[in-house]
Amino acid sequence: MIKAIKGTRDILPPESAVWNRVEETAREVLSVYGFSEIRTPVFESTELFARGVGADTDIVAKEMYTFDDRDSRSLTLRPEGTASVVRAYLEHQLHRDPQIWKVYYLGPMFRRERPQKGRFRQFHQLGAEVLGSDHPAIEAEVIELLQLFLDRIGVGETELLVNSIGCGHCRPGFLRKLQVALSEIEDRLCQDCRRRCRSNPLRVLDCKREACQPVIERLPSILEFLDEPCRLHFDRFLGYLERRDIGFRIVPRLVRGLDYYTRTTFEITSRGLGAQNALVGGGRYDGLAEVLGGQPTQGFGFALGLERVILLSRQGDRPASAGQPQLFVAPLGEPALDRASLMAREFRRQGIHCFMDFAPRSLKSALRLANKLQAGHVLIVGENELKTGQFPLKRMRDGRQILVSETEVVSRLENGF
RNA sequence: GUGAGUGUAGCUCAGUCGGUAGAGCACUGGAUUGUGGCUCCAGCGGUCGUGGGUUCGAUCCCCAUCACUCACCCCA
């Protein structure tokens, strides 16, 4: 038997209805905040991600689905969305527009990780990007939007973590200090941290091991090294959050795994997700456009894991309201089925949610099926009815039944039986 | 890539201290010649993940392998 690839899965009804509701809510909220949808290709030149995400990141180093096209170009299934959005912005010369560009995307991403709770190889992200503004207020506005969205779909109990990781001017100084500090206490850290000391020192700050915590707490904090503009930016950002009554926790150890982030970074986490507790991750990436060979362009955005959000969403509890047929057409015998299917066509053209089954069934089993589907009414089409032109229309709620002609069916359904 | 746990009916699971398996739900039919839900009765459905070993005999014990799950790692 052929099965779905590891780390991928089918979203079947009625779960697909939950996805639709969540996506619909996202579109509404984003639209209200002035974001338009962008749809970029699911595969891109490998180079885009190698440069945009950072060659040293785990994503690029060992998680991408990369393959050679027939003309030997190296292509990659997108592992994230921001690089593509910035690529599109540059490619279409959108910096010529005077206004800031606000777009969102919604779709599958691909990373070859070991699957676990809340983590898949094909997973879905909702992301939004604001290009062309470095104002801290836009950052608070984006977080405000996320709050509204999470609230609307019934995700409670989240925590907002914020930090600033400085910029190209002030971060190198911090990194040097950090490395010096790390070299002094390296022997008191766990195996993983020792490795990180060399590969990605910032990540040591993010270690979750109990034993490392006292050591990590003594390490220098990036916030002490911010230069004046970065300091000011961060303070203003926090001020905008406070004025919106958005609670947050400053986590100087919050660093992002992607290289292009500058200044503001944030994460929204939740208990109840297991180990993969990040619902949303985002931040500012003023350096990305240049890395991709374009004009310097300020950018700020987030990505949200839809699987994770849906895992927490109360939407799943709601019974599927859509999908119940107003009318179930029950044909008895093959000649009746032919006529019944034409009748169904007419009902549907008039907007009636009409279900027809083509299996040869007894009336009893047809009604059983209608009941299971929670059909509102059943129209019985048998030999006798075709002769007389009068069809029993049965209301399932109370079992009441009337005789109607074919042309009366729709008006009967619409005018309360 | 590493570790742990779990693989028995479509689903959720029981069970056999080694003698080729059962429940509930679901499905089909009947009780009601063309009338659902409740109830009752009957039926359908399993190479006990796969391969090998031990044994007279393995779903059960051993080994390997695959799949799934969770965790590490990393991240959404």
Side-chain angles (χ1 to χ4, degrees):
Chain A
M1 170 132 62
I2 299 175
K3 300 202 296 181
I5 304 294
K6 182 201 286 282
T8 71
R9 61 186 214 98
D10 302 308
I11 300 170
L12 304 171
E15 193 197 350
S16 51
V18 176
W19 280 73
N20 278 328
R21 281 203 295 271
V22 168
E23 289 172 3
E24 197 182 322
T25 305
R27 289 178 195 284
E28 278 166 22
V29 170
L30 282 154
S31 166
V32 161
Y33 272 84
F35 288 80
S36 310
E37 184 176 4
I38 182 172
R39 301 195 189 191
T40 64
V42 275
F43 61 94
E44 299 257 14
S45 158
T46 299
E47 192 189 357
L48 173 67
F49 302 115
R51 280 161 63 175
V53 178
D56 298 334
T57 58
D58 277 26
I59 291 176
V60 173
K62 49 192 188 196
E63 294 175 1
M64 294 204 303
Y65 283 97
T66 295
F67 58 96
D68 281 347
D69 198 357
R70 285 164 179 266
D71 60 4
S72 309
R73 276 209 8 142
S74 180
L75 306 180
T76 293
L77 260 37
R78 63 179 184 193
E80 60 104 46
T82 305
S84 296
V85 170
V86 174
R87 193 221 79 232
Y89 179 87
L90 298 172
E91 185 170 339
H92 301 290
Q93 313 237 11
L94 294 166
H95 63 276
R96 293 181 177 206
D97 287 354
Q99 72 275 38
I100 57 174
W101 202 49
K102 299 168 82 174
V103 291
Y104 73 89
Y105 56 84
L106 196 63
M109 304 293 163
F110 306 86
R111 292 183 201 173
R112 197 184 187 292
E113 298 181 271
R114 199 75 179 264
Q116 75 190 66
K117 187 171 185 183
R119 189 168 79 181
F120 303 90
R121 290 184 173 184
Q122 173 173 339
F123 61 105
H124 298 79
Q125 283 190 338
L126 161 67
E129 315 287 350
V130 180
L131 294 180
S133 169
D134 69 345
H135 204 288
I138 197 78
E139 302 170 359
E141 191 181 279
V142 165
I143 288 169
E144 167 193 314
L145 164 173
L146 278 164
Q147 202 179 42
L148 178 61
F149 169 66
L150 293 174
D151 193 52
R152 285 256 178 99
I153 62 169
V155 173
E157 299 282 306
T158 60
E159 187 173 26
L160 171 65
L161 314 177
V162 300
N163 190 27
S164 173
I165 57 169
C167 63
H169 295 296
C170 54
R171 192 160 30 175
F174 167 69
L175 283 175
R176 276 195 298 275
K177 266 284 195 312
L178 179 64
Q179 258 158 339
V180 170
L182 283 175
S183 63
E184 287 165 6
I185 50 99
E186 195 176 325
D187 52 332
R188 287 155 61 193
L189 292 167
C190 68
Q191 285 289 326
D192 290 325
C193 283
R194 285 182 210 176
R195 181 174 45 74
R196 293 189 193 107
C197 286
R198 311 210 61 188
S199 63
N200 196 348
L202 276 179
R203 292 229 64 93
V204 176
L205 299 172
D206 206 26
C207 182
K208 284 147 201 142
R209 274 236 168 83
E210 222 24 74
C212 291
Q213 300 310 308
V215 186
I216 291 172
E217 267 159 41
R218 299 244 166 93
L219 290 170
S221 160
I222 177 90
L223 294 177
E224 294 158 18
F225 288 81
L226 295 183
D227 61 21
E228 207 37 46
C230 288
R231 176 82 249 166
L232 184 65
H233 183 97
F234 191 49
D235 286 343
R236 290 176 73 198
F237 165 62
L238 298 182
Y240 285 115
L241 289 181
E242 278 160 4
R243 245 156 289 147
R244 284 165 172 72
D245 286 319
I246 297 175
F248 59 85
R249 187 153 63 90
I250 299 174
V251 183
R253 292 156 40 191
L254 177 70
V255 294
R256 315 247 79 245
L258 311 171
D259 284 353
Y260 50 65
Y261 285 96
T262 57
R263 293 190 168 171
T264 310
T265 65
F266 74 96
E267 203 167 287
I268 297 176
T269 61
S270 168
R271 280 188 280 277
L273 268 183
Q276 307 302 313
N277 67 348
L279 271 184
V280 186
R284 175 161 290 287
Y285 46 86
D286 291 346
L288 178 56
E290 279 171 277
V291 168
L292 296 181
Q295 305 261 330
T297 307
Q298 291 112 350
F300 182 82
F302 71 82
L304 173 152
L306 284 170
E307 280 82 0
R308 293 184 185 178
V309 150
I310 284 169
L311 217 51
L312 295 170
S313 164
R314 282 196 306 269
Q315 300 282 319
D317 307 342
R318 263 208 286 162
S321 52
Q324 295 162 2
Q326 288 168 274
L327 182 65
F328 183 102
V329 177
L332 303 173
E334 196 59 32
L337 190 147
D338 183 48
R339 263 303 290 287
S341 66
L342 292 175
M343 290 167 72
R345 175 175 71 163
E346 187 51 34
F347 301 149
R348 286 161 173 160
R349 283 182 172 180
Q350 294 187 51
I352 299 297
H353 181 342
C354 179
F355 187 96
M356 234 197 100
D357 183 61
F358 298 92
R361 286 181 185 282
S362 66
L363 180 57
K364 180 205 275 270
S365 102
L367 279 164
R368 250 205 287 268
L369 180 59
N371 188 61
K372 204 176 78 176
L373 295 171
Q374 300 185 64
H377 303 262
V378 172
L379 186 73
I380 297 167
V381 182
E383 304 285 322
N384 304 338
E385 287 77 9
L386 290 178
K387 283 189 202 117
T388 63
Q390 294 289 302
F391 302 88
L393 179 63
K394 182 183 175 99
R395 180 160 71 184
M396 295 300 275
R397 175 157 47 86
D398 54 9
R400 208 160 77 83
Q401 188 167 308
I402 55 178
L403 274 178
V404 296
S405 71
E406 183 173 348
T407 50
E408 285 175 310
V409 173
V410 173
S411 63
R412 282 293 190 167
L413 290 178
E414 282 171 351
N415 301 326
F417 196 59

